[in-house]
């Protein structure tokens, strides 16, 4: 009875349905592929924009002057185009930040991964993740109106805009990030390695330092590298609190502009499109992009190597 | 002779007597204790520092945190200044960001996990996404300035800012979508294929449905980040002093929806805070603190929701 009712449609009709279905599937796949390609287009777009705008800049300014001159004053009458002062500012603030964030972040990661009770870890970890998400402009407020006044009480000669205050705040800002990534790496070390160490009579501290940390090295290095990349690219904290005067100095007690602070400073003003000052922010941006790109790739490689081992 | 040599080697190993062994164990146990104290102190110190900073901020801004603050335009007089144009601008930009980044990010994530063949091309796209997540946000600002403002002539408008933050958010959505999809067992897909589903049907009815929570987590985290971003918005040319609102998206005459607001100038919460912060007068710093407290609250609530959501998903996982 039922078989007669459910009689199949003629074969041509079924094939037509199949063709239509396959066609739709194909179209959807192509649409999805273009979405994935968009990510590549962003990178291409970044490189394209930076290169075209900066090439206008380098038509006027020789690369040798750009890389060796110790003065950066593109907006003044007596214009100089040496990127070194901006780089020295970037390096100094990053150095201050990392000399705080790396030791504290590492100790915190080791403690959380190897010593802390399950309960402590489960409550501290989300807090770290929450802190990673706090907007950086807020940290700029802390640097300018909390940490620098505090430092001025210790050293009254410290100028309002200096690199030490923002450096310290940036360090505190990066601690949760480094701690979180490094802790993930240590957690990923297989349990039986720890058990082996304990079985030999090693203490927790010995196991953490001689077994877990060496095993997680590349993961921990990845955390450091990503931390460096964040410090170098950090904008608002230094733009607010480190000053806007490009100075070739490595003394954190002085104020100096970083690459990012310079870009912000120019963008806040109203430079005409196509002027040399306008193009100079793309040249500065290109240097920043190259530096962070190298660190990101290194970090990615370290992370991948770590992931492959376990 | 032979015995002596072995003894000599043994003497290199430190604990010789029982007393020495006990001393060694004591030393190592003490080291253990010292380090765990240092670790606990470090974490407490770091968290306490941040807590003090936040409390300081909220205390500074507290006198301004009233209803008026949210309904006043910025003003030359600190006492009258509010964040009306800033929070309206932020909301509208978030809307554009959401509409651009979410469909694209989810689609890209689905493609990379479910469709992409394993070859060099996919590898390049993958490295790209990882790298993009680490590009400083100000570089996105430069991209937007060169591309949206001066190549596509979109102007220094809400749509430009929304698209810029959309680009910034895209890698975050892609990564979290991929992670969520990866946690779904192959058996689910095979079961669907076995009853004759096409690939797209499997993706739409099963993969996306089951990874929805994880994707949502990524979206919320990305939105929180976009909300707090300042640098790229400065480069595309946000105004720091705006005493008007963009045209309303809903109108009283047909067709009832207007897109004029997309073309409007704008300011956002972090920019408003930044501009108050760059003024020398102390009264404006109080406004900045109040705006900062609002930003922190918003991002903490958003990120908190995301983390709680992820925790719940992990707990309720069915396979």
């Amino acid at each position: 009875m039922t078989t007669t009712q459910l009689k199949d449609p003629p074969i041509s009709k079924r094939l037509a349905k199949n063709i239509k279905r396959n066609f739709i599937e194909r179209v959807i796949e192509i649409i999805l592929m273009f979405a994935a390609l968009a990510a590549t287009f962003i990178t291409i777009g970044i490189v394209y924009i930076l290169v075209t705008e900066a090439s206008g800049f380098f038509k006027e300014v020789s690369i040798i002057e750009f890389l060796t001159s110790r003065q950066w004053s593109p907006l003044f009458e007596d214009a100089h185009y040496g990127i070194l002062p901006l780089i020295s500012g970037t390096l100094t603030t990053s150095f201050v930040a990392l000399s705080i964030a790396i030791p504290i972040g590492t100790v915190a990661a080791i403690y959380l991964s190897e010593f802390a009770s399950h309960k402590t870890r489960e409550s501290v970890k989300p807090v770290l993740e929450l802190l990673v998400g706090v907007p950086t402009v807020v940290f700029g407020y802390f640097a300018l109106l909390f940490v620098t006044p505090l430092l001025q009480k210790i050293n009254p000669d410290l100028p309002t805009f200096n690199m030490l205050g923002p450096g310290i705040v940036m360090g505190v800002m990066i601690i949760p990030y480094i701690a979180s990534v490094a802790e993930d790496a240590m957690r990923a070390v297989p349990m039986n390695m720890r058990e082996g160490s304990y079985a030999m009579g090693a203490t927790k501290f010995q196991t953490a330092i001689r077994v877990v940390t060496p095993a997680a090295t590349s993961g921990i290095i990845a955390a450091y590298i990503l931390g460096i990349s964040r410090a170098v690219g950090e904008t608002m904290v230094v733009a607010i609190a480190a000053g806007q005067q490009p100075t070739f100095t490595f003394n954190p007690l002085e104020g100096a502009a970083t690459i990012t602070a310079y870009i912000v400073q120019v963008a806040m003003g109203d430079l005409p499109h196509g002027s040399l000052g306008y193009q100079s922010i793309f040249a500065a941006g290109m240097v920043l992009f190259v530096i962070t790109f190298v660190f990101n790739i290194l970090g990615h490689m370290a992370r991948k190597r770590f992931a492959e081992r376990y | 002779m032979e015995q002596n040599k072995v003894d000599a080697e043994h003497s290199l190993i430190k604990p010789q007597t029982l007393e020495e062994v006990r001393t060694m164990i004591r030393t190592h146990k003490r080291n253990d204790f010292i380090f765990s104290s240092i670790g606990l102190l470090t974490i407490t110190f770091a968290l306490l520092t941040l807590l003090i900073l936040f409390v300081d901020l909220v205390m500074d801004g507290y006198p301004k945190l009233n209803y008026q603050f949210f309904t006043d335009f910025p003003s030359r007089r600190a006492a009258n200044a509010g964040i009306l144009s800033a929070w309206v601008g932020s909301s509208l930009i978030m809307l554009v960001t959401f509409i651009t980044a979410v469909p694209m990010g989810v689609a890209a994530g689905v493609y990379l996990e479910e469709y992409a063949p394993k070859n060099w091309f996919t590898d390049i796209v993958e490295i790209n996404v990882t790298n993009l997540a680490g590009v400083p946000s100000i570089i996105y600002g430069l991209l937007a300035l060169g591309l949206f403002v001066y190549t596509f002539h979109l102007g220094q408008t809400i749509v430009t800012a929304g698209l810029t933050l959309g680009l910034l958010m895209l890698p975050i959505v892609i990564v979290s979508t991929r992670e969520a999809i990866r946690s779904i067992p192959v058996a689910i897909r095979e079961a669907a294929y076995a009853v004759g589903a096409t690939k797209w049907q499997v993706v739409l009815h099963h993969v996306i449905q089951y990874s929805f929570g994880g994707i949502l987590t990524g979206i919320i985290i990305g939105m929180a980040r976009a909300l707090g971003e300042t640098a790229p918005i400065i480069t595309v040319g946000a105004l720091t002093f705006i005493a008007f609102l963009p045209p309303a998206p809903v109108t009283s005459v047909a067709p009832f929806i207007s897109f004029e607001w997309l073309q409007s100038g704008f300011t956002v919460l972090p920019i408003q805070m930044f501009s108050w912060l760059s003024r020398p007068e102390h009264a404006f710093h109080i406004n900045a603190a109040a705006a900062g407290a609002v930003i922190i609250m918003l991002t903490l609530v958003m990120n908190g929701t995301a983390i709680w959501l992820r925790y719940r998903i992990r707990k309720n996982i069915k396979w």
Side-chain angles (χ1 to χ4, degrees):
Chain A
M1 278 289 273
T2 44
T3 42
T4 49
Q5 281 172 0
L6 276 177
K7 217 175 178 187
D8 284 337
I11 201 138
S12 59
K13 236 184 185 169
R14 267 191 292 157
L15 276 179
K17 216 175 168 186
N18 258 353
I19 288 167
K20 195 180 151 204
R21 201 170 93 154
N22 288 345
F23 177 73
I24 292 172
E25 286 286 313
R26 196 75 201 132
V27 169
I28 286 169
E29 186 177 340
I30 289 169
I31 291 174
L32 293 178
M33 192 181 76
F34 272 106
L37 275 176
T40 325
F41 287 142
I42 296 177
T43 309
I44 295 172
I46 289 175
V47 173
Y48 172 76
I49 290 290
L50 289 180
V51 167
T52 47
E53 298 286 357
S55 70
F57 176 81
F58 285 117
K59 264 183 206 139
E60 303 286 324
V61 180
S62 78
I63 293 190
I64 295 167
E65 187 194 349
F66 183 68
L67 291 178
T68 56
S69 166
R70 293 186 181 184
Q71 265 192 354
W72 178 261
S73 52
L75 307 181
F76 293 145
E77 202 66 21
D78 174 31
H80 289 275
Y81 301 96
I83 191 83
L84 285 180
L86 297 182
I87 292 186
S88 78
T90 305
L91 288 183
T92 312
T93 47
S94 304
F95 180 77
V96 173
L98 292 167
S99 53
I100 289 174
I102 286 186
I104 296 187
T106 314
V107 172
I110 295 179
Y111 178 79
L112 280 181
S113 155
E114 303 302 313
F115 287 84
S117 64
H118 180 75
K119 213 177 149 193
T120 316
R121 183 167 52 239
E122 289 304 301
S123 42
V124 171
K125 257 287 205 165
V127 174
L128 291 183
E129 284 175 53
L130 268 183
L131 291 173
V132 170
V134 172
T136 58
V137 65
V138 174
F139 285 99
Y141 177 92
F142 299 148
L144 184 67
L145 297 177
F146 190 87
V147 175
T148 297
L150 208 66
L151 293 171
Q152 276 170 333
K153 276 187 191 138
I154 303 167
N155 176 6
D157 298 333
L158 194 72
T160 314
F161 295 111
N162 61 77
M163 294 190 279
L164 187 61
I168 293 174
V169 169
M170 243 156 72
V172 173
M173 188 180 95
I174 298 174
I175 290 172
Y177 187 69
I178 289 186
S180 183
V181 179
E183 200 263 356
D184 284 340
M186 290 182 186
R187 278 276 102 196
V189 172
M191 210 49 185
N192 50 28
M193 285 179 72
R194 289 189 191 89
E195 282 158 359
S197 168
Y198 292 143
M200 298 299 288
T203 60
K204 273 189 174 177
F205 182 61
Q206 287 172 316
T207 309
I209 297 300
R210 299 205 192 155
V211 178
V212 179
T213 312
T217 308
S218 47
I220 296 171
I221 288 176
Y224 293 169
I225 292 174
L226 296 174
I228 294 173
S229 167
R230 257 193 89 140
V232 169
E234 173 46 42
T235 308
M236 293 323 289
V237 178
V238 284
I240 290 169
Q244 313 222 306
Q245 185 62 48
T247 320
F248 184 70
T249 173
F250 290 99
N251 179 3
L253 299 178
E254 289 178 44
T258 62
I259 299 176
T260 49
Y262 172 73
I263 298 174
V264 166
Q265 183 199 351
V266 171
M268 291 291 284
D270 226 0
L271 276 181
H273 175 222
S275 67
L276 201 56
Y278 167 85
Q279 286 165 341
S280 73
I281 61 175
F282 288 91
M286 194 156 83
V287 173
L288 180 67
F289 181 69
V290 170
I291 297 174
T292 50
F293 183 78
V294 169
F295 279 121
N296 285 338
I297 295 291
L298 284 177
H300 179 68
M301 273 158 55
R303 223 182 201 178
K304 202 160 185 190
R305 218 183 107 193
F306 179 72
E308 272 164 13
R309 264 177 70 187
Y310 300 109
Chain B
M1 248 333 234
E2 198 60 19
Q3 189 57 43
N4 275 352
K5 204 178 163 193
V6 171
D7 277 354
E9 263 172 19
H10 268 203
S11 66
L12 289 176
I13 300 167
K14 253 208 215 128
Q16 287 282 301
T17 63
L18 197 59
E19 199 41 51
E20 275 174 8
V21 172
R22 282 189 181 135
T23 322
M24 188 189 78
I25 291 175
R26 258 203 306 280
T27 320
H28 286 157
K29 281 200 164 160
R30 205 186 53 223
N31 284 350
D32 237 32
F33 177 73
I34 291 173
F35 185 84
S36 76
S37 317
I38 291 176
L40 193 62
L41 276 176
T42 316
I43 289 189
T44 322
F45 169 77
L47 293 183
L48 219 61
T49 313
L50 286 161
L51 186 72
I52 290 172
L53 293 177
F54 292 151
V55 168
D56 172 65
L57 179 91
V58 174
M59 299 260 281
D60 284 353
Y62 185 71
K64 273 302 279 184
L65 282 171
N66 48 31
Y67 178 71
Q68 284 241 298
F69 188 59
F70 292 90
T71 54
D72 277 345
F73 283 112
S75 159
R76 282 181 214 293
R77 293 186 32 218
N80 296 343
I83 53 169
L84 177 63
S85 49
W87 71 257
V88 171
S90 274
S91 323
L92 292 175
I93 287 169
M94 287 295 103
L95 188 67
V96 178
T97 305
F98 183 85
I99 292 170
T100 42
V102 170
M104 208 127 113
V106 174
V110 167
Y111 179 80
L112 288 175
E113 275 308 306
E114 297 290 316
Y115 287 86
K118 287 267 163 281
N119 56 22
W120 60 271
F121 175 74
T122 313
D123 280 350
I124 287 181
V125 175
E126 248 173 66
I127 292 178
N128 231 308
V129 173
T130 334
N131 178 52
L132 277 181
V135 169
S137 56
I138 194 155
I139 300 282
Y140 285 92
L142 291 179
L143 167 70
L145 181 64
L147 199 68
F148 297 145
V149 178
Y150 289 117
T151 309
F152 296 160
H153 298 289
L154 292 174
Q156 304 180 329
T157 55
I158 287 182
V159 66
T160 307
L163 288 176
T164 312
L165 294 181
L167 297 187
L168 196 76
M169 188 180 152
L170 196 62
I172 303 175
V173 178
I174 296 178
V175 170
S176 64
T177 303
R178 295 189 61 181
E179 272 168 14
I181 289 179
R182 219 174 293 158
S183 68
I184 298 171
V186 187
I188 298 275
R189 298 181 183 85
E190 284 166 352
Y193 285 132
V195 292
T198 64
K199 195 156 196 170
W200 176 239
Q201 284 169 333
V202 173
V203 167
L204 191 66
H205 298 160
H206 301 279
V207 173
I208 290 184
Q209 305 250 327
Y210 305 146
S211 55
F212 184 73
I215 296 174
L216 194 62
T217 310
I219 292 173
I220 298 174
I221 289 176
M223 292 291 279
R225 185 166 163 207
L227 179 74
E229 273 302 343
T230 322
I233 302 289
I234 290 181
T235 38
V236 299
L239 304 168
T240 49
F241 188 91
I242 281 212
F244 61 86
L245 288 183
V250 184
T251 52
S252 54
V253 288
F256 302 111
I257 293 175
S258 145
F259 288 103
E260 258 178 69
W261 55 275
L262 286 172
Q263 303 296 326
S264 168
F266 66 96
T267 190
V268 291
L269 283 169
I271 300 269
Q272 190 62 67
M273 179 181 179
F274 175 58
S275 95
W276 279 332
L277 205 49
S278 2
R279 284 169 170 253
E281 302 97 328
H282 177 67
F284 279 108
H285 291 168
I286 293 178
N287 288 4
V294 173
I295 298 172
I296 287 197
M297 288 304 160
L298 284 175
T299 49
L300 283 189
V301 167
M302 288 169 84
N303 283 320
T305 313
I307 291 167
W308 173 78
L309 204 65
R310 188 171 56 203
Y311 173 76
R312 242 194 53 169
I313 297 164
R314 270 191 202 153
K315 219 175 151 190
N316 294 350
I317 222 140
K318 286 168 229 105
W319 36 74

